[in-house]
């Protein structure tokens, strides 16, 4: 079966002909075919009905028409006149329209030298064939011939009603498609070339590699790179297929959850009249999400904020006083907001959509604020979580069912098991270290999904390092020197992080960085959590707790001997270190100046990973 974008079950078809043709594509093409329905193409956002890509065949653009033979008044190369309710309606010739779409796509792709032929008389031309055609879902081939429609529609570029029946063999159906290619030559696109095609034709699936993080780039923001990075096929299908209603994505670290959130928030903002709300738990991630989403086209409609900050804003906006009491202010802000929403003092239905990242850190009561503020007309709620990264609560699972807090996502939950962020080596070491926290069972309810152990995408790299030093100062100097070397080698400072466990650990680290003239920003100062990213590249000195949702090319974890903290739960400490380790994309270095349970466990994890 072909891979559809969106998934065929999520496609909104305008006509029965489109629905039937999509079903034929789905069932009569192999799983190496990629099919897009009604998805904008290229920077001009051209919108063909169907686009089909096959690595060994090429690119095909198709328009579907549900015309009946007796409704066609006239048809020429430029236009068609149709009888509709007693009136004549003029439309474009669909074959001419499909041709324009195909040529635009070919011109766009041909600009990429890595999609050009490299030798022979066609050197510099597109590496693959491309074609275009029309589907006449209610007109048989006999009708087509009798009415001489071939004068305006090339017969070879048309599929008729009786050529797309359920009984039509896959071979015959495919042959009709490939008859639409008037120039045929051998091609075999490699996976990276397929990604380049997707990169150019669908800019919204691009990943912002310049910032070292998830995020979508416009054509103007994305110079043509030699190495492109796009959503993988599963991520793209999921992002495009999320329909109306409540949705839950349970994904492992590095599976692209937040990238899908970025895509979805911009897509919904472009359609909505009300604001779109993006919530997360920690300030650092909110800062990063703000930076990423502001690259989009509808950013003025997207509000990005951490939960406690959002509660404060709601109270101020609706002039509700914070309750008195001995509890910390941030806790009283939350309880006051919950009470105000329940009492109707805060307006309900304010947001066209609400998207929650890192929902495993949310308390059940918080959803009493979130759900009522969602507009029931759009009813678009997206929740993303991974229990393995639950570091703020003393529990192994989410602790409540989604249905119990008003999230109706039964049957609309997606599981992402593949980690694309980390190299195989980094992921193996992290998994071996934290294997005790992955407690999968098949007995839990659908909306209380168990903690998942991630699968690797298979990308290889260097084994994580574990370095021992005599003193904490020697650790800090070593880390600063390694970072200086990386920056000299061209690594952007924004892509390097030091992840610490306690604020007291940052003094030597910050001193060592400053001593080498390395620009940095540290979350040891609370106000910096919302200012991590600016126009000036800087190394990020971030607490492990604040690193959730972030990723960096290189990660340094100092003072491992000070973990686990004797005052903290052992499993929570393991989760915290697991989160920190899985922030690393390419390089992971852990250092210590004394032994502890965790230094020994990491050493054992590296030894186990080296056996594979």
């Amino acid at each position: 079966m072909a891979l559809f974008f969106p998934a065929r079950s999520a496609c909104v078809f305008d006509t029965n002909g489109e629905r039937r043709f999509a079903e034929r594509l789905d069932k009569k093409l192999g799983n190496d075919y990629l099919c897009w329905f009604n998805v904008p193409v290229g920077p001009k956002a051209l919108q063909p009905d169907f686009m089909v890509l096959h690595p060994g065949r090429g690119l095909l653009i198709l328009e579907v028409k549900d015309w009946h033979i007796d409704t066609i008044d006239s048809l020429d190369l430029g236009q068609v006149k149709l009888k509709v309710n007693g009136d004549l309606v003029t439309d474009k010739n669909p074959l001419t329209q499909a041709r324009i779409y195909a040529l635009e796509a070919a011109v766009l792709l041909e600009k990429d030298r890595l999609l050009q032929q490299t030798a022979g008389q066609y050197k510099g031309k597109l590496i693959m064939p491309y074609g275009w055609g029309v589907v006449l879902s209610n007109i048989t081939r006999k009708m087509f011939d009798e009415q001489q429609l071939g004068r305006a529609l090339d017969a070879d570029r048309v599929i008729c009603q009786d050529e797309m029946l359920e009984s039509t063999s896959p071979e015959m159906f495919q042959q009709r498609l490939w008859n639409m290619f008037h120039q045929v030559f051998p091609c075999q696109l490699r996976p990276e070339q397929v990604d380049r095609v997707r990169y150019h034709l669908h800019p919204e699936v691009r990943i912002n590699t310049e910032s070292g993080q998830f995020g979508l780039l416009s054509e103007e923001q994305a110079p043509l790179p030699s190495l492109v990075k796009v959503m993988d096929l599963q991520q793209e299908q999921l992002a495009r297929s999320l329909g109306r209603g409540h949705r839950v994505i349970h994904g492992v670290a590095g599976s692209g959850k937040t990238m899908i959130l970025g895509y979805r928030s911009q897509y919904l903002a472009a359609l909505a009249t009300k604001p779109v709300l993006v919530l997360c738990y920690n300030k650092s991630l909110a800062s990063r999400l703000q930076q990423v989403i502001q690259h989009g086209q509808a950013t003025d409609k997207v509000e990005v904020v951490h939960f406690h900050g959002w509660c404060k804003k709601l109270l101020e906006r609706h002039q509700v006083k914070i309750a008195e009491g001995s509890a910390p202010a941030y806790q009283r802000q939350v309880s006051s907001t919950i009470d105000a929403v329940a009492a109707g003092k805060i307006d309900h239905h304010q947001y066209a959509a609400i998207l929650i990242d890192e929902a495993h850190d949310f308390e059940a009561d918080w959803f009493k604020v979130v759900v009522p503020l969602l507009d029931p007309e759009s009813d678009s709620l997206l929740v993303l979580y991974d229990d393995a990264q639950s570091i703020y609560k003393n529990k192994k699972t989410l602790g409540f069912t989604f249905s119990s807090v008003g999230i109706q996502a039964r049957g609309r939950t997606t599981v992402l098991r593949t980690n694309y962020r980390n190299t195989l080596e980094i992921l193996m070491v992290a998994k071996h270290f934290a294997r005790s926290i992955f407690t999968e069972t098949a007995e839990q309810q659908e909306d209380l999904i168990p903690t998942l152990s991630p699968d690797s995408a298979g990308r290889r790299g260097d084994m994580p390092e574990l370095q021992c030093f005599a003193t904490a100062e020697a650790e800090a100097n070593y880390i600063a020197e390694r970072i200086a070397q990386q920056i000299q080698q061209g690594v952007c400072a924004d892509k390097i992080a030091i992840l610490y466990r306690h604020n007291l650990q940052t003094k030597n680290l910050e001193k060592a960085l400053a001593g080498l003239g390395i620009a940095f920003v540290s979350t040891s100062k609370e106000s910096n959590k919302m200012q991590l990213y600016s126009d000036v590249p800087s190394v990020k000195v971030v607490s492990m707790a604040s690193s959730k949702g972030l990723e960096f090319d290189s990660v340094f974890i100092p003072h491992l001997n000070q973990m686990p903290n004797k005052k903290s739960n052992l499993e929570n400490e393991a989760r915290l270190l697991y989160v920190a380790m899985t922030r690393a994309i390419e390089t992971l270095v852990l250092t210590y100046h004394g032994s502890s349970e965790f230094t020994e466990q990491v050493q054992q994890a590296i030894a186990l990973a080296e056996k594979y």
Side-chain angles (χ1 to χ4, degrees), residues 282-298:
N282 75 65
K283 294 179 181 179
S284 301
L285 179 56
S287 172
R288 190 64 181 125
L289 285 169
Q290 285 178 343
Q291 186 201 35
V292 168
I293 291 175
Q294 73 183 8
H295 286 305
Q297 302 300 311

Side-chain angles (χ1 to χ4, degrees), residues 126-367:
L126 190 60
I127 199 171
M128 63 180 174
Y130 61 93
W132 58 91
V134 172
V135 178
L136 301 178
S137 59
N138 292 319
I139 297 176
T140 66
R141 180 62 63 174
K142 182 179 179 181
M143 295 174 184
F144 180 92
D145 292 337
E146 287 177 347
Q147 296 299 314
Q148 299 182 333
L149 298 183
R151 294 187 208 177
L153 299 174
D154 182 347
D156 283 342
R157 295 189 187 271
V158 174
I159 293 179
C160 292
Q161 180 189 45
D162 50 340
E163 295 162 346
M164 52 173 280
L165 300 174
E166 191 171 354
S167 59
T168 303
S169 71
E171 294 75 18
M172 290 182 64
F173 181 78
Q174 291 180 33
Q175 189 57 54
R176 293 302 315 178
L177 291 179
W178 305 126
N179 285 346
M180 297 176 178
F181 288 80
H182 283 199
Q183 290 183 325
V184 179
F185 53 87
C187 83
Q188 189 56 55
L189 298 179
R190 302 186 303 275
E192 59 268 26
Q193 290 173 316
V194 171
D195 282 346
R196 296 190 80 83
V197 172
R198 295 169 56 225
Y199 178 92
H200 293 295
L201 296 185
H202 304 304
E204 64 274 16
V205 304
R206 298 174 183 176
I207 299 174
N208 186 345
T209 55
E210 289 305 307
S211 66
Q213 182 67 17
F214 47 80
L216 312 174
L217 293 177
S218 70
E219 191 71 17
E220 294 76 17
Q221 295 167 324
L224 186 61
S226 58
L227 177 65
V228 301
K229 191 175 181 184
V230 293
M231 288 183 178
D232 81 350
L233 296 173
Q234 183 193 18
Q235 292 167 340
E236 181 185 354
Q237 186 183 57
L238 176 59
R240 294 194 188 282
S241 302
L242 291 171
R244 186 180 183 277
H246 298 185
R247 306 276 169 167
V248 171
I249 296 177
H250 182 201
V252 300
S255 60
K257 299 185 301 297
T258 310
M259 180 175 60
I260 292 169
L261 177 145
Y263 171 94
R264 183 69 174 167
S265 65
Q266 294 179 46
Y267 170 79
L268 292 171
L271 300 176
T273 55
K274 292 183 177 181
V276 171
L277 175 67
V278 175
L279 284 176
C280 61
Y281 181 87
N282 75 65
K283 294 179 181 179
S284 301
L285 179 56
S287 172
R288 190 64 181 125
L289 285 169
Q290 285 178 343
Q291 186 201 35
V292 168
I293 291 175
Q294 73 183 8
H295 286 305
Q297 302 300 311
T299 54
D300 56 325
K301 294 182 184 177
V302 182
E303 180 182 349
V304 183
V305 63
H306 64 286
F307 183 79
H308 292 94
W310 179 56
C311 288
K312 182 180 179 181
K313 284 185 178 182
L314 286 175
L315 295 173
E316 292 174 350
R317 192 183 301 162
H318 293 82
Q319 299 182 336
V320 177
K321 292 184 178 181
I322 300 174
E324 299 293 332
S326 58
Y330 71 90
Q331 291 181 1
R332 287 185 281 117
Q333 284 173 352
V334 173
S335 60
S336 297
T337 305
I338 292 172
D339 292 342
V341 169
K345 296 179 181 179
I346 291 178
D347 296 337
H348 290 196
H349 311 159
Q350 294 186 27
Y351 297 98
I354 300 178
L355 303 91
I356 303 174
D357 200 5
E358 309 289 353
H360 43 261
D361 293 322
F362 277 48
E363 299 292 342
D365 281 352
W366 296 3
F367 291 96

Side-chain angles (χ1 to χ4, degrees), residues 423-542:
T423 62
L424 177 62
E425 288 76 9
I426 290 172
L427 184 58
M428 287 178 68
V429 170
K431 284 178 64 174
H432 283 310
F433 164 75
R435 59 188 178 273
S436 61
I437 70 174
F438 298 121
T439 54
E440 299 190 49
T441 72
E443 301 172 358
Q444 299 192 32
Q445 301 174 46
E446 178 183 357
D447 61 351
L448 187 59
I449 298 174
T451 303
L452 295 177
S453 175
D455 298 327
S456 172
R459 185 170 57 85
R460 301 305 298 259
D462 295 332
M463 187 63 64
E465 301 175 36
L466 181 62
Q467 305 281 359
C468 180
F469 296 88
T471 64
E473 186 178 28
E475 273 188 78
N477 291 336
Y478 173 80
I479 290 172
E481 289 167 4
R482 285 283 298 268
I483 290 173
Q485 290 173 2
Q486 290 189 358
I487 293 174
Q488 289 172 2
Q489 292 167 0
V491 178
C492 177
D494 274 339
K495 298 183 179 183
I496 304 172
I498 302 173
L499 306 184
Y500 62 87
R501 177 64 183 93
H502 306 290
N503 280 351
L504 292 176
Q505 297 171 348
T506 63
K507 184 176 179 181
N508 284 334
L509 295 164
E510 293 171 7
K511 180 180 178 182
L513 292 171
L516 294 179
I518 299 171
F520 67 90
V521 59
S522 173
T523 60
S524 62
K525 187 177 180 181
E526 184 70 20
S527 60
N528 283 343
K529 291 182 179 180
M530 291 297 294
Q531 308 294 329
L532 269 183
Y533 294 90
S534 65
D535 294 334
V536 179
S538 58
V539 173
K540 314 306 176 190
V541 183
V542 181

Side-chain angles (χ1 to χ4, degrees), residues 242-248 264 354 374 377-383 407-409 412:
L242 291 171
R244 186 180 183 277
H246 298 185
R247 306 276 169 167
V248 171
R264 183 69 174 167
I354 300 178
L374 178 64
E377 287 295 317
S378 52
D379 199 33
S380 185
L381 176 66
L382 177 61
V383 177
I407 298 174
Q408 304 304 320
R412 294 193 297 274

